[in-house]
Amino acid sequence: MEGSGYRVVFEKGGVYLHTSARKHQDPDSLIAGIIRVVEKDNDVLLYWAPVEEAGDATQILFSKKDASGGDPCTSEEEPTFDPGYEPDWAVISTVRPRLHHSEPARGAEPSSPRGQWAFSVSLGELKSIRRSKPGLSWAYLVLVTQAGGSLPALHFHRGGTRALLRVLSRYLLLASSPQDSRLYLVFPHDSSALSNSFHHLQLFDQDSSNVVSRFLQDPYSTTFSSFSRVTNFFRGALQPHPEGTPSPDLRPPPDDEPGFEVISCVELGPRPIVERAPPVTEEEWAQHVGPEGRLQQVPELKNRIFSGGLSPGLRHEAWKFLLGYLSWEGSTEEHKAHVRKKTDEYFRMKLQWKSVSPEQERRNSLLHGYRSLIERDVSRTDRTNKFYEGPENPGLGLLNDILLTYCMFHFDLGYVQGMSDLLSPILYVVQNEVDAFWCFCGFMELVHGNFEESQETMKRQLGQLLLLLKVLDQPLCDFLDSQDSGSLCFCFRWLLIWFKREFPFPDILRLWEVLWTGLPGPNLHLLVACAILDMERDTLMLSGFGSNEILKHINELTMKLSVEDVLTRAEALYRQLTACSELPHNVQEVLGLAPPAEPHSPSPVVSPLPLSPTRASPAPPPAADMVPQPDSSLEILPEEEDVADS
């Protein structure tokens, strides 16, 4: 939108002022309005006006207009509000900012009771921006000026805080306060002003002018000892060269400080075209078998499995290698000795629970609970598959025995709903109780964290998925966020049991053997999730789905996806990301391109908001969504609508 001498670069409706601190606002205490960012006369203004007053408000200066139309600087005290349900800045600020005299704004008559709240401020006058804490019905922002006053809190009932902050980052540098992760310190891009800001905040021990010079040349290493987080937009926030070309030295630094993270807005190149290869045949596998039965050229063989999968007749043998039951380097005789040893070990563990009498089990509530849960889940696992169909099917007995024996193998974890889904395809392919057990143990080594009670692994993976998706498709993330689906909880089942319920049974065999290669990186399953969302983005965004409709649509994808199409797209996404020279370090960690910053501690949930310089975890998904319930259907429930745009 452009007018005489000004251009609107951002506009968002549904932005309210709350003039009462009561938790349940009455209609008269809510003032609906529009927030805009406007470029005008070599300046950038942020202004808000009520909807009935939101005409040409570009002339509104930073002031709360007196209802009588006189000088806004009156001696009348602002009303004092009880902070009530949200103590920090949830209602109209009672701190009166420094006011400016100006001509009345067009479109906001001084006599209008709501027009008096309209305000406008130059971005250069901002000192800090405070975000609301998570868990509220909607998010709000409070803008504090250089003079120490604060503008009225802006409540975004329809979302939009992140979009506004992204627009502001084009003109300002936003950095998280070391003392308060919800407070962004505002710095101009101007070098002298930035130096002055550093001086007053005493962020550096060195001379401020020298610091600013180094900061603009290498913003990463310069801030290691000062800011706990830095937000850097490569093509807006910091321009190290006049021509705007990023310095070749702008690479993620060594992880001298484990908590440091750089989150960047990057531009990806074109997505490459990927073609899948045919499956590895038994003849091709035989060509890799050398003297004494040792496999040769294993990396090349793994790469072929990644590119094309395995032919059905080969899986019975190859899966034992992929799941770590047999060593890629072992000879035929070594494998036979290993199998004999593991067979004895398996039956010793099986005997432990088989020898428990009914009377003993009555006094062992843990074992009794495992047995009951396993029997119930097994009776509903893949019953449409001929291998498991029928009331007296021996395959069901093998599933039951293997899962109970796993409880003896892994006492701490035991059995958790969903494990039967992981075992079923393995037993179907291997068709041997002992081999299936040890292959299942190998699979559980990869995913056991998914079933831990703390759910930290699942939370971390959802955060990593969101991080990848934000780099790949920010508009889709914004849409999901606006529909209260930004936490991606509808992907929980995908990650928990590796898409077992999403693809037809034969496709799952192909998908898993590709994922087990560990190629091209450790988290290909996250890119598979990104690929599915990428395939469905137009349907989601153009259909006007709300959060419930999004969950319903995702659930209805079950058995309708093509594994080859998904794998092709996932590999293309990986190549597109790795071809980017400005890929943020935390994204490189997820893709296995860089060592993790904190290898000895579990990674926190990444909240990859490009503007957020922190790694603060978002509010965890509702317990009903995150904790597997004792129901093998694993239905995904709608999110509780408790956070609109935190």
Side-chain angles (χ1 to χ4, degrees), residues 27-221:
D28 292 336
S29 67
L30 300 179
I31 306 177
I34 296 177
I35 190 78
R36 289 174 179 158
V37 177
V38 179
E39 293 179 350
K40 181 177 185 297
D41 299 332
N42 298 321
D43 195 6
V44 183
L45 304 174
L46 176 76
Y47 84 86
W48 178 92
V51 287
E52 66 268 28
E53 313 291 348
D56 179 13
T58 58
Q59 303 297 323
I60 300 175
L61 292 184
F62 169 30
S63 63
K64 176 180 177 295
K65 293 179 174 50
D66 183 73
S68 64
D71 190 327
C73 297
T74 67
S75 60
E76 182 180 356
E77 292 295 325
E78 293 268 2
T80 302
F81 297 99
D82 179 5
Y85 69 99
E86 170 60 24
D88 50 355
W89 308 103
V91 296
I92 301 296
S93 173
T94 61
V95 180
R96 184 184 297 276
R98 183 183 66 185
L99 303 174
H100 302 273
H101 299 280
S102 68
E103 57 180 310
R106 291 180 289 165
E109 296 297 331
S111 60
S112 170
R114 295 193 173 228
Q116 64 174 324
W117 295 108
F119 63 82
S120 174
V121 61
S122 169
L123 297 190
E125 296 186 41
L126 295 180
K127 180 180 181 181
S128 63
I129 301 173
R130 174 177 290 275
R131 295 190 69 190
S132 56
K133 61 184 179 183
L136 303 179
S137 299
W138 50 75
Y140 66 81
L141 296 176
V142 176
L143 287 77
V144 179
T145 66
Q146 297 287 349
S150 61
L151 296 168
L154 301 171
H155 294 254
F156 291 73
H157 287 203
R158 303 175 191 168
T161 56
R162 297 181 178 183
L164 175 60
L165 291 174
R166 277 194 297 275
V167 171
L168 295 182
S169 72
R170 301 177 193 170
Y171 309 98
L172 303 167
L173 175 63
L174 305 179
S176 176
S177 166
Q179 287 78 33
D180 187 349
S181 62
R182 291 166 49 206
L183 181 66
Y184 295 135
L185 305 178
V186 176
F187 302 108
H189 292 169
D190 164 47
S191 175
S192 61
L194 188 60
S195 175
N196 190 48
S197 300
F198 287 158
H199 174 73
H200 286 295
L201 290 174
Q202 298 180 341
L203 295 176
F204 299 97
D205 297 330
Q206 302 97 325
D207 176 68
S208 294
S209 59
N210 179 51
V211 167
V212 170
S213 174
R214 292 192 298 108
F215 184 85
L216 292 175
Q217 293 174 4
D218 187 356
Y220 304 97
S221 58

Side-chain angles (χ1 to χ4, degrees), residues 442-489:
F443 195 3
M444 288 301 299
E445 281 296 307
L446 298 175
V447 299
H448 70 88
N450 293 2
F451 300 94
E452 292 175 351
E453 187 176 1
S454 69
Q455 291 292 291
E456 288 302 317
T457 299
M458 289 300 301
K459 294 174 187 176
R460 183 180 71 247
Q461 289 181 85
L462 287 171
Q464 292 172 333
L465 174 59
L466 183 57
L467 173 62
L468 293 175
L469 196 61
K470 280 186 173 291
V471 176
L472 290 165
D473 196 339
Q474 183 65 56
L476 175 59
C477 288
D478 290 342
F479 167 77
L480 294 174
D481 199 51
S482 70
Q483 302 302 320
D484 300 330
S485 300
S487 62
L488 303 182
C489 281

Side-chain angles (χ1 to χ4, degrees), residues 56 130 190-191 200 259 314 324 328-329 343-344 354 384 484 493 513-514 631-632:
D56 179 13
R130 174 177 290 275
D190 164 47
S191 175
H200 286 295
L314 184 56
W328 293 94
E329 294 80 21
T343 299
D344 292 342
K354 292 282 282 186
T384 58
D484 300 330
R493 185 176 70 187
E513 63 199 15
V514 170
D631 180 0
S632 65

Side-chain angles (χ1 to χ4, degrees), residues 565-583:
D565 291 345
V566 170
L567 285 173
T568 298
R569 190 169 302 225
E571 184 178 353
L573 293 176
Y574 176 84
R575 294 186 185 182
Q576 185 182 27
L577 287 169
T578 55
C580 176
S581 60
E582 299 171 346
L583 201 62

Side-chain angles (χ1 to χ4, degrees), residues 150-400:
S150 61
L151 296 168
L154 301 171
H155 294 254
F156 291 73
H157 287 203
R158 303 175 191 168
T161 56
R162 297 181 178 183
L164 175 60
L165 291 174
R166 277 194 297 275
V167 171
L168 295 182
S169 72
R170 301 177 193 170
Y171 309 98
L172 303 167
L173 175 63
L174 305 179
S176 176
S177 166
Q179 287 78 33
D180 187 349
S181 62
R182 291 166 49 206
L183 181 66
Y184 295 135
L185 305 178
V186 176
F187 302 108
H189 292 169
D190 164 47
S191 175
S192 61
L194 188 60
S195 175
N196 190 48
S197 300
F198 287 158
H199 174 73
H200 286 295
L201 290 174
Q202 298 180 341
L203 295 176
F204 299 97
D205 297 330
Q206 302 97 325
D207 176 68
S208 294
S209 59
N210 179 51
V211 167
V212 170
S213 174
R214 292 192 298 108
F215 184 85
L216 292 175
Q217 293 174 4
D218 187 356
Y220 304 97
S221 58
T222 307
T223 53
F224 259 59
S225 61
S226 305
F227 290 123
S228 61
R229 304 288 189 267
V230 170
T231 297
N232 173 21
F233 268 57
F234 280 98
R235 288 172 176 79
L238 297 177
Q239 301 260 344
H241 300 299
E243 62 273 20
T245 303
S247 168
D249 296 328
L250 282 181
R251 294 188 180 91
D255 289 309
D256 297 335
E257 181 180 346
F260 186 89
E261 178 186 12
V262 175
I263 300 175
S264 305
C265 178
V266 297
E267 291 186 5
L268 300 177
R271 188 174 301 173
I273 298 175
V274 173
E275 293 185 3
R276 300 278 300 163
V280 178
T281 63
E282 296 175 68
E283 293 75 14
E284 184 177 355
W285 178 276
Q287 294 175 6
H288 288 267
V289 178
E292 301 181 339
R294 299 181 191 274
L295 289 173
Q296 300 175 331
Q297 299 175 318
V298 173
E300 178 185 330
L301 182 57
K302 285 185 178 180
N303 198 44
R304 276 288 291 116
I305 298 173
F306 166 74
S307 300
L310 295 163
S311 61
L314 184 56
R315 288 180 176 136
H316 175 271
E317 180 179 359
W319 278 26
K320 299 173 187 177
F321 292 90
L322 289 170
L323 290 169
Y325 177 37
L326 299 181
S327 169
W328 293 94
E329 294 80 21
S331 67
T332 301
E333 291 302 318
E334 289 170 344
H335 290 159
K336 289 180 180 179
H338 179 74
V339 169
R340 286 194 296 268
K341 175 184 175 183
K342 288 298 184 181
T343 299
D344 292 342
E345 187 176 345
Y346 171 77
F347 283 109
R348 280 198 303 271
M349 290 186 292
K350 184 175 181 179
L351 185 61
Q352 291 175 2
W353 64 264
K354 292 282 282 186
S355 61
V356 174
S357 67
E359 183 179 352
Q360 287 177 302
E361 188 171 324
R362 281 196 296 269
R363 295 190 295 269
N364 190 332
S365 58
L366 185 61
L367 178 60
H368 179 73
Y370 286 151
R371 187 191 295 272
S372 300
L373 186 58
I374 289 171
E375 288 177 353
R376 188 185 66 181
D377 284 356
V378 163
S379 67
R380 296 184 291 186
T381 300
D382 291 326
R383 296 308 302 276
T384 58
N385 188 302
K386 290 184 178 181
F387 190 76
Y388 298 109
E389 68 181 3
E392 302 296 331
N393 191 297
L396 300 181
L398 292 177
L399 283 176
N400 182 86

Side-chain angles (χ1 to χ4, degrees), residues 319-326 338 342 402 406 409-410 422-423 426 434-449 451 498 512 515-517:
W319 278 26
K320 299 173 187 177
F321 292 90
L322 289 170
L323 290 169
Y325 177 37
L326 299 181
H338 179 74
K342 288 298 184 181
I402 292 172
Y406 185 78
F409 175 77
H410 200 315
L422 302 185
L423 173 59
I426 295 175
V434 175
D435 294 345
F437 172 82
W438 291 112
C439 287
F440 174 69
C441 291
F443 195 3
M444 288 301 299
E445 281 296 307
L446 298 175
V447 299
H448 70 88
F451 300 94
W498 276 28
W512 284 2
L515 295 177
W516 290 336
T517 64

